[in-house]
Amino acid sequence: ATAYALIFHPKYQKKRAPLPNIEIRYVPSAVEQLQMRNNWNFVQSSVDFSTKNDNSSTKIIFGHTHSGHHRLPRFFYESASFGLASNDLNLWSALYTLNDPKPSLVLPWTYQYANTNNAGIFVSFPFNSTNKQDSAIDRLLRIQNGAKQNDWHHAQTAIETIARKANLSLILSWTPNHFGSTHHSDDLRHAHILQQILPLRSGFQNLRSASAVWANSPLVANLSIISSHTIATIVDHYGTLRSA
């Protein structure tokens, strides 16, 4: 195809341009990814929802552990939340300036991975912001009938894009999962919060997993957390938190 009557076409005589200098990404083996998946499944998360005007600490510790099977606050059942395992200031800025959709919360996230404490970012979207065509009636029906994945698909896509630009290999998501019909006295009786490991790179798909998470204290189920969905925080250049 490159020659006609034994005469090569001029364009095939050009030297191939060298590939640009790119960073070679290490992909863990299947055994290593299995261990990583197990560590992420049992990660223990801690998020402090206290505000500047709140003298008491509203810290919630949750995870797929055997230390307690207590319901998380209703806030988790009415929103889609994500965990990004990085505390980079550029990542904070990207999340804070995100407008489509706009997050209701951007907070510090402390997580214990493989018995090591690490710092990351917790970002949350109420369901009425994850779908452009959502309404108050849709939100009410969603609580009654159970949330579906397309309710937070728009928010998840936005977070995945930001995380990839920050060279993260995965993110965590916390979304409601309804496994039965609602009860007349308790609409969340047949529901729990599902933690999912969402790989962001090719070759990391063995990390994909899902597990239910609970709070380690029964007191947090009655907390009314950020009901107005108007509070956000960001790390400034001095490393301190300020309310937005």
Side-chain angles (χ1 to χ4, degrees), residues 96-192:
Y96 181 64
T97 55
L98 180 62
N99 289 314
D100 186 22
K102 187 174 182 62
S104 60
L105 291 175
V106 183
L107 296 170
W109 169 45
T110 303
Y111 62 97
Q112 189 177 61
Y113 175 85
N115 298 321
T116 304
N117 291 325
N118 302 274
I121 305 175
F122 176 90
V123 55
S124 184
F125 301 83
F127 284 148
N128 58 357
S129 72
T130 58
N131 192 328
K132 296 180 179 180
Q133 299 177 349
D134 202 2
S135 66
I137 296 178
D138 294 330
R139 188 165 176 264
L140 178 61
L141 292 175
R142 180 177 296 108
I143 296 173
Q144 294 176 349
N145 300 328
K148 305 299 181 182
Q149 185 173 0
N150 57 3
D151 292 331
W152 56 81
H153 176 74
H154 186 45
Q156 179 177 319
T157 301
I159 292 298
E160 288 177 344
T161 300
I162 292 176
R164 285 191 182 97
K165 291 181 180 179
N167 293 323
L168 297 184
S169 299
L170 60 87
I171 60 174
L172 295 187
S173 71
W174 298 284
T175 52
N177 179 51
H178 294 251
F179 52 87
S181 59
T182 58
H183 193 269
H184 63 87
S185 63
D186 184 3
D187 59 346
L188 298 180
R189 174 174 293 186
H190 299 139
H192 56 213

Side-chain angles (χ1 to χ4, degrees), residues 33-45:
Q33 290 191 41
L34 181 62
Q35 182 61 47
M36 293 171 60
R37 185 179 67 184
N38 184 69
N39 290 336
W40 280 113
N41 274 331
F42 289 93
V43 71
Q44 182 169 282
S45 298

Side-chain angles (χ1 to χ4, degrees), residues 196-209:
Q196 295 189 73
I197 305 172
L198 304 176
L200 303 176
R201 304 291 182 182
S202 58
F204 284 78
Q205 296 306 312
N206 288 328
L207 296 177
R208 190 177 299 276
S209 181

